Amino acid sequence: MSDASSSGPAGSRLRDRWSAFTAGLQEFYAGPYRRTFARAQRDEDDLFMLVVLADALGVPDPAAYHSVELVPALYPEFHAWHRRAGLERSPLEHVGCC
Amino acid sequence: MNSLVLMLIGLAMFAGGYLLYSKFLANRIYQLDAAYPTPAHEMEDGIDYVPTNKYVLWGHHFTSVAGAAPIVGPAIAVIWGWLPAFLWVTLGTVFFAGMHDLGSLWASVRNRGQSMGLLSGRYIGPRGRNLFLVVIFLLLLMVIAAFTVVIKNLLISTPSAVIPAWGAIVVALIIGQMIYRWKMNLALTTVIGVVALYALILLGDAYPVELSDPILGMSPETFWIVALFLYAGIASLLPVWVLLQPRDYINGVQLFIGLGILYGAVLLSAPEIVAPAYNSDVPDGTPGLVPLLFVTIACGAISGFHGMVSSGTSSKQLDSESDARFVGYFGAVGEGLLALGAIMATTAGFATLADWEAVYSAFGEGGVGAFVTGGGAIVEAGLGLPASLSATILATMAVLFAATTMDTGVRLQRFVVQEAGDLFGWKIGKGVATVVVLVVAMGLTFSQGAAGEGGLRIWPLFGTTNQLLASLTLSIVAVMLLRKRRNPWPALIPLAFVFVMSFYAALVQLGDLQEAEDWLLLVLDVVIIVAALWVAVEALMAMNKARTEPAEEADADLAGSSRGDGS
């Protein structure tokens, strides 16, 4: 028991150091490519936005009945999306983000 | 001279540079302020702007700037003797590279993490950014062409490196899967990756691969060049997590292992340097030491490419401005260590002076081949590994460095092509841009002959372009110091020296290329000379303006930062 208690703080310190080391290693691995991944993620999200809003934008979409439920969840990103898509103002009348 | 003594003197100079000169720069010149809100905090977005532990950031910075260039340059330049190369690498690292890398990091941090391209527009003039694009395009083009030839030469001269060099791609592909698909622990994955890489080195040493001549209607030289370009094209188009990211990572780990092996072997074997301190009997056709030494060794003494890394990524991740001293200056010291290792390998790794002279029989003949042969002999003597295995380890290390730089070069050049297309209103897709890059780079590589003969003749031009970029960065730093009414000489002296040497070298090469009737490289050289003159005129005007106009207010950077306009 005494052994365990005496090794406790030391073991804890060791674990902390190991955690810090693995976190640093992870950062060393991921850091240089963080931007590339973020850009890929954004492109994917933009495509998803386009698919969900297809019907509202006048493109016939057989899955619109299902995807319309997702529209409110995408509102927070809508303004940034239409600006990135080259549309100065919101293309949807019922979404007056700007 | 014993190489161990040389190593200790070199290490002492680097240590002195970091402990004394970088402290002077940090406190008196750049006046780094731990309380200054860095862009990583001011603009934190979890993507580009992320406060990062300084040791991890140093690791990123060092592995981004270190590649095959600090090996290739010194390995060619020792033809003038070990002393000039040693002095330029050590003094260059301490007074030029460290100053330049720390300065570019500081300049970018004080300007919301903006890149050197944007800063040249702000401090040098509106044409600065266009000039930057031209210089970067040339630099990347030459890097791709030269490093393809470097790898091809290694695969031919050290056939035992063929299996590990290409097998490393498979290792990287598997590491990518282990991390992203199978969610394996990174530390464990790293150990598996390194063990697999060294197992491939053992396998390659046992089964050297020498291609038949001809192969698929091509000479082995042409075949390897074509294969390398095809590989680089595919690698740059694959999602980065599949190949490039794990390849960069394993290469970064290998960089530390390789440096440890080389320095450990010198420490244990302490071989005598057989090359002359100053070679007064250089082979016919060797250009003059002044100015060619100062462009033959660019990376490892001072390199403009470091400014791109400092301002492109590192400045956006600096947790505290005072960390710039460790990340920037010590990053340059890391590269100086690699260059010093290359000098020791290529001057102390031969049994006799005659052996050394046989390898350095013409300018550009030693190069990475001499690094592998000489370094292999030192590793054999120091660590007791068989000679062929030692050479295979170093050849694999050099191939991996060169290949990673080539991969990245193709990818970056693709972005430059797409950006240039945007200027003309052309939307250039990823695939088309990659083909354009490969065709142009292959054209340059084969312009010397179907086997890429004399590909290393591009090397001094690469060095000249790189030093030109460094001059541009130092000009920005000097203008900032002048505006703030601080001592500009630590920037102005390296600036004047590097600029004069690179311009002089460009003029010397102009004559050489005309004599050799190498019209393609001649045109490139003319472009470099025009760009250099442009840099000089713009920078002088900017510095004169900065000197005569009222001093910048003490909180000008901070105001610029919070204003958020970057102007």
Side-chain angles (χ1 to χ4, degrees):
Chain A
M1 191 66 190
S2 62
D3 278 356
S5 60
S6 62
S7 71
S12 168
R13 270 202 304 277
L14 206 63
R15 270 196 303 280
D16 288 348
R17 282 186 187 165
W18 178 250
S19 300
F21 172 73
T22 52
L25 206 61
Q26 191 66 44
E27 175 64 25
F28 184 61
Y29 188 85
Y33 286 90
R34 207 186 280 119
R35 183 181 196 175
T36 312
F37 285 124
R39 189 173 288 157
Q41 174 76 53
R42 199 187 66 188
D43 289 349
E44 212 164 273
D45 289 347
D46 284 356
L47 183 66
F48 184 67
M49 178 81 81
L50 191 68
V51 169
V52 171
L53 296 178
D55 199 49
L57 293 168
V59 180
D61 177 12
Y65 176 76
H66 303 285
S67 61
V68 74
E69 282 184 39
L70 296 168
V71 174
L74 299 180
Y75 279 158
E77 296 299 318
F78 182 74
H79 178 68
W81 172 77
H82 78 70
R83 295 294 295 265
R84 275 201 299 277
L87 303 165
E88 197 61 29
R89 315 290 298 179
S90 164
L92 301 180
E93 281 177 13
H94 65 282
V95 186
C97 59
C98 54
Chain B
M1 168 71 91
N2 189 286
S3 59
L4 183 57
V5 175
L6 192 72
M7 183 178 106
L8 293 175
I9 294 172
L11 291 179
M13 287 171 80
F14 290 149
Y18 180 69
L19 296 173
L20 303 173
Y21 191 56
S22 81
K23 193 173 181 184
F24 163 75
L25 291 174
N27 293 342
R28 305 288 295 277
I29 305 298
Y30 297 128
Q31 298 178 18
L32 302 183
D33 177 5
Y36 182 82
T38 62
H41 289 283
E42 282 277 277
M43 302 159 73
E44 185 169 356
D45 61 2
I47 300 170
D48 290 331
Y49 299 87
V50 182
T52 303
N53 174 288
K54 72 173 178 179
Y55 299 105
V56 174
L57 187 55
W58 176 81
H60 283 163
H61 186 83
F62 174 44
T63 51
S64 300
V65 298
I71 295 175
V72 180
I76 294 174
V78 292
I79 198 163
W80 289 294
W82 59 263
L83 189 59
F86 175 77
L87 289 175
W88 176 227
V89 162
T90 48
L91 296 174
T93 296
V94 170
F95 294 106
F96 289 56
M99 191 280 162
H100 168 278
D101 296 9
L102 169 55
S104 52
L105 200 49
W106 167 77
S108 180
V109 165
R110 290 276 159 172
N111 284 281
R112 304 170 63 236
Q114 288 185 342
S115 69
M116 278 300 142
L118 288 175
L119 292 185
S120 59
R122 176 181 176 185
Y123 289 104
I124 305 295
R127 290 174 293 275
R129 196 175 175 207
N130 297 338
L131 181 61
F132 225 84
L133 261 184
V134 171
V135 174
I136 287 169
F137 180 84
L138 289 177
L139 195 67
L140 291 173
L141 184 63
M142 287 186 265
V143 159
I144 297 165
F147 281 8
T148 308
V149 176
V150 165
I151 300 170
K152 178 269 291 180
N153 286 344
L154 281 169
L155 294 178
I156 300 272
S157 66
T158 320
S160 55
V162 171
I163 288 180
W166 290 97
I169 297 169
V170 181
V171 171
L173 286 168
I174 294 171
I175 287 178
Q177 298 295 318
M178 287 163 91
I179 291 171
Y180 284 105
R181 280 208 198 280
W182 308 333
K183 312 284 180 205
M184 283 179 63
N185 176 284
L186 184 57
L188 178 65
T189 308
T190 308
V191 173
I192 294 172
V194 170
V195 169
L197 186 62
Y198 278 81
L200 283 168
I201 288 174
L202 286 172
L203 190 69
D205 192 45
Y207 300 100
V209 179
E210 288 187 62
L211 298 181
S212 60
D213 188 7
I215 177 166
L216 300 176
M218 294 177 266
S219 69
E221 286 86 357
T222 312
F223 174 82
W224 280 132
I225 292 174
V226 172
L228 285 164
F229 274 116
L230 278 177
Y231 152 73
I234 294 168
S236 78
L237 288 171
L238 284 174
V240 292
W241 70 267
V242 175
L243 180 59
L244 290 188
Q245 187 182 28
R247 195 160 160 75
D248 275 3
Y249 175 74
I250 206 74
N251 188 49
V253 174
Q254 172 65 12
L255 173 62
F256 294 108
I257 296 175
L259 266 178
I261 288 176
L262 193 56
Y263 275 81
V266 171
L267 189 67
L268 293 173
S269 65
E272 279 297 321
I273 296 176
V274 297
Y278 176 74
N279 190 7
S280 52
D281 186 24
V282 290
D284 287 343
T286 304
L289 183 153
V290 178
L292 260 291
L293 170 70
F294 305 99
V295 294
T296 303
I297 305 179
C299 302
I302 178 169
S303 161
F305 178 72
H306 294 198
M308 286 168 65
V309 175
S310 290
S311 64
T313 51
S314 302
S315 64
K316 299 174 177 66
Q317 299 176 58
L318 213 59
D319 187 24
S320 162
E321 192 180 67
S322 52
D323 291 350
R325 181 183 165 207
F326 182 76
V327 176
Y329 196 96
F330 204 62
V333 168
E335 182 146 295
L337 285 172
L338 200 53
L340 179 58
I343 292 173
M344 292 187 296
T346 51
T347 56
F350 295 88
T352 63
L353 174 61
D355 288 350
W356 183 82
E357 284 175 338
V359 171
Y360 282 89
S361 56
F363 185 65
E365 279 298 302
V368 190
F371 170 76
V372 170
T373 315
I378 293 174
V379 172
E380 181 195 5
L383 305 184
L385 298 175
S388 66
L389 182 61
S390 305
T392 307
I393 291 173
L394 291 184
T396 306
M397 176 178 147
V399 168
L400 291 184
F401 287 170
T404 311
T405 312
M406 190 190 159
D407 295 344
T408 313
V410 170
R411 201 161 150 267
L412 292 177
Q413 190 76 309
R414 190 183 81 208
F415 294 142
V416 172
V417 169
Q418 287 178 308
E419 206 171 308
D422 285 345
L423 288 177
F424 293 100
W426 302 335
K427 183 81 183 159
I428 303 178
K430 220 161 81 164
V432 175
T434 304
V435 171
V436 170
V437 171
L438 295 182
V439 168
V440 175
M442 279 175 98
L444 184 60
T445 310
F446 286 127
S447 69
Q448 311 277 311
E453 294 101 335
L456 282 180
R457 280 174 60 190
I458 301 168
W459 192 259
L461 275 184
F462 157 76
T464 311
T465 318
N466 209 358
Q467 306 299 48
L468 184 60
L469 201 61
S471 307
L472 207 50
T473 300
L474 287 171
S475 305
I476 293 167
V477 172
V479 170
M480 284 182 69
L481 292 174
L482 284 166
R483 280 190 178 191
K484 292 175 189 299
R485 296 291 182 268
R486 293 186 197 163
N487 179 5
W489 292 108
L492 287 177
I493 293 170
L495 166 61
F497 184 83
V498 167
F499 179 80
V500 169
M501 285 302 160
S502 55
F503 189 68
Y504 182 11
L507 291 178
V508 169
Q509 288 171 89
L510 197 65
D512 292 346
L513 293 169
Q514 190 184 7
E515 206 171 296
E517 298 187 347
D518 196 336
W519 307 119
L520 186 67
L521 295 190
L522 186 83
V523 170
L524 278 182
D525 199 24
V526 170
V527 174
I528 292 167
I529 288 171
V530 172
L533 284 171
W534 194 353
V535 167
V537 172
E538 298 269 355
L540 280 173
M541 279 162 51
M543 278 185 247
N544 190 44
K545 191 171 167 225
R547 195 175 54 84
T548 50
E549 68 188 9
E552 195 172 78
E553 287 178 27
D555 64 348
D557 303 310
L558 205 58
S561 167
S562 55
R563 199 169 55 237
D565 58 7
S567 58

